[in-house]
């Protein structure tokens, strides 16, 4: 059995005086006609008072409320500030100089103690932080640039270009990068942090290129790309003005992963004695501590700071990356 819904009350009833029983229609019609223009004039005002939120403002709104992103970014900034400012505040610019008593535990003079040769562990730590960030930036930036060039070109052009670049990517991907780096570093007489980062970047880009290629494939058939193509824009103009801006969040998170990966690879090379021959890094500190039996001698202040520094940098980068993923992806945002 169906029931007929009752009609909604007229909006004029809230504003007009009670009508006489003998003339209900004559009193309600003018009120309804006068209320309609008011409602229509209020609609543009409401729409103009509440403009659509910009994507950047929406991301910022969620970014400042994401604990993973805030904690990870804070740790990275603190460690970066220590690496940049710490060496400047030291009296001695050479972290490998013998400045104090041998194997001294932390005290008021030497905050992180000294090595078995009397080297200041704190001085080595702050210099090592700077070198670790440098190799991460160099290696991550080089890998990101190569990955974007290969991925964008293969994904947008397709055809023979895509086949050639994909084959090149697969060949580099199956090459054991660590073994290649071991051979290169073993035969190089003088190794610097920048050169180490260069070789890491040249061997770390394939997986990122494959991911960018897949994203470009899904964007190249969009209407805005077709319009740019019809307007006569070239390949790289379309890529960097139409496709890349729509992948900016993905590219940024990819760089963070390449950054952390470059630090881990560099630390592995340093630990086995194939790190830079000039200066000091956190991996070289671990290598020296292991070589001179710091663990057996109970010199915890020699190997814990560099190990904790590497763990904190990479861990903070990955935590921040998870937070960025939640910020940029509406499906992952926490309510």
């Amino acid at each position: 059995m169906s029931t007929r819904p009752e009609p909604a009350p007229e909006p004029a009833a809230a504003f007009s005086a009670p009508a006489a029983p003998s003339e209900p229609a004559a009193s309600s019609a003018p009120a309804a006609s006068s209320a309609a223009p008011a409602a229509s004039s209020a609609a543009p005002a409401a729409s103009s008072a509440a403009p659509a939120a910009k994507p950047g403002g929406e991301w910022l709104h969620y970014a400042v409320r994401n604990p993973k992103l805030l904690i990870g970014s804070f740790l990275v900034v603190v460690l970066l500030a220590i690496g940049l400012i710490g060496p400047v505040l030291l009296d001695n610019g050479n972290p490998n100089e013998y400045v104090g008593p041998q194997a001294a535990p932390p005290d008021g003079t030497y905050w992180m103690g000294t090595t078995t040769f009397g080297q200041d562990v704190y001085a080595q730590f702050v210099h090592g932080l700077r070198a670790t960030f440098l190799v991460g930036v160099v290696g991550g930036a080089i890998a990101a640039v190569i990955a974007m060039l290969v991925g964008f070109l293969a994904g947008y052009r397709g055809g023979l270009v895509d086949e050639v670049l994909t084959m090149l990517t697969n060949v580099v991907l199956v090459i054991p990068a660590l073994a290649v780096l071991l051979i290169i570093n073993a035969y190089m007489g003088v190794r610097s942090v920048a050169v180490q980062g260069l070789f890491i970047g040249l061997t770390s880009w394939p997986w990122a290129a494959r991911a960018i290629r897949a994203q470009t494939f899904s964007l190249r058939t969009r209407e805005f790309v077709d319009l740019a193509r019809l307007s006569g824009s070239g390949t790289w103009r379309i890529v960097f003005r139409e496709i890349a801006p729509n992948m900016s969040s993905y590219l940024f998170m990819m760089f963070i992963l390449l950054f952390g990966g470059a630090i881990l690879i560099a630390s592995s090379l340093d630990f086995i004695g194939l790190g830079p021959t000039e200066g000091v890094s956190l991996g070289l500190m671990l290598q020296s501590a292991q070589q001179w039996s710091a663990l057996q001698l109970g010199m915890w202040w020699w190997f814990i700071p560099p190990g904790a520094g590497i763990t904190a940098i990479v861990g903070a980068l990955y935590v921040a990356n998870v937070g960025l993923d939640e910020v940029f992806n509406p499906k992952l945002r926490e309510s």
Side-chain angles (χ1 to χ4, degrees):
M1 176 177 171
S2 63
T3 59
R4 179 181 301 174
E6 297 183 2
E10 294 290 337
F15 301 97
S16 59
S22 59
E23 299 177 353
S27 59
S28 60
S33 62
S34 62
S40 62
S41 62
S47 61
S48 61
K54 297 181 179 180
E58 181 184 4
W59 292 345
L60 181 61
H61 171 79
Y62 288 102
V64 297
R65 291 166 174 79
N66 189 285
K68 300 183 183 69
L69 178 58
L70 295 178
I71 294 174
S73 301
F74 176 77
L75 288 176
V76 172
V77 170
V78 169
L79 293 172
L80 179 60
I82 295 174
L84 293 176
I85 301 175
V88 179
L89 301 179
L90 295 175
D91 298 331
N92 185 15
N94 184 9
N96 293 323
E97 186 176 351
Y98 309 136
V99 295
Q102 298 179 356
D107 55 21
T109 304
Y110 302 101
W111 296 349
M112 293 184 178
T114 61
T115 67
T116 54
F117 304 101
Q119 299 162 320
D120 189 357
V121 176
Y122 173 75
Q124 292 186 344
F125 179 75
V126 294
H127 281 86
L129 279 177
R130 176 184 291 185
T132 300
F133 274 105
L134 178 59
V135 74
V137 170
V138 173
I142 292 175
V145 170
I146 298 176
M148 285 189 291
L149 293 177
V150 174
F152 281 138
L153 187 59
Y156 178 75
R157 294 298 297 271
L160 180 62
V161 175
D162 177 38
E163 293 180 4
V164 173
L165 292 178
T166 301
M167 181 182 64
L168 175 64
T169 303
N170 293 334
V171 169
V172 179
L173 188 63
V174 299
I175 294 177
L178 186 59
V180 173
L181 291 173
L182 289 174
I183 296 173
I184 293 175
N185 283 272
Y187 281 94
M188 290 184 63
V190 178
R191 300 182 298 270
S192 64
V193 174
V195 173
Q196 186 183 45
L198 172 64
F199 286 111
I200 291 175
L202 292 176
T203 57
S204 303
W205 58 268
W207 70 267
R210 290 169 62 93
I212 294 174
R213 171 183 172 272
Q215 294 291 329
T216 306
F217 261 124
S218 66
L219 291 175
R220 70 173 184 173
T221 56
R222 301 291 178 88
E223 294 181 356
F224 61 89
V225 177
D226 293 335
L227 292 174
R229 192 182 297 112
L230 291 175
S231 66
S233 299
T235 298
W236 292 113
R237 183 180 179 87
I238 294 176
V239 165
F240 289 110
R241 297 197 62 177
E242 303 295 338
I243 296 178
N246 288 278
M247 295 173 54
S248 57
S249 59
Y250 183 82
L251 296 176
F252 184 68
M253 292 189 293
M254 178 200 67
F255 172 73
I256 292 179
L257 294 177
L258 291 172
F259 189 117
I263 291 177
L264 289 178
I265 295 175
S267 300
S268 301
L269 294 174
D270 295 347
F271 186 74
I272 60 179
L274 295 177
T277 55
E278 303 172 354
V280 65
S281 67
L282 297 182
L284 287 177
M285 291 180 64
L286 286 175
Q287 191 267 341
S288 298
Q290 185 272 336
Q291 182 179 3
W292 299 104
S293 305
L295 179 61
Q296 289 78 3
L297 297 175
M299 299 174 61
W300 56 267
W301 58 87
W302 194 356
F303 59 86
I304 286 183
I310 295 173
T311 304
I313 294 174
V314 178
L317 287 172
Y318 287 147
V319 169
N321 192 65
V322 173
L324 283 174
D325 196 14
E326 294 177 354
V327 169
F328 293 136
N329 191 346
K331 297 180 180 180
L332 299 179
R333 291 173 184 165
E334 297 178 357
S335 58

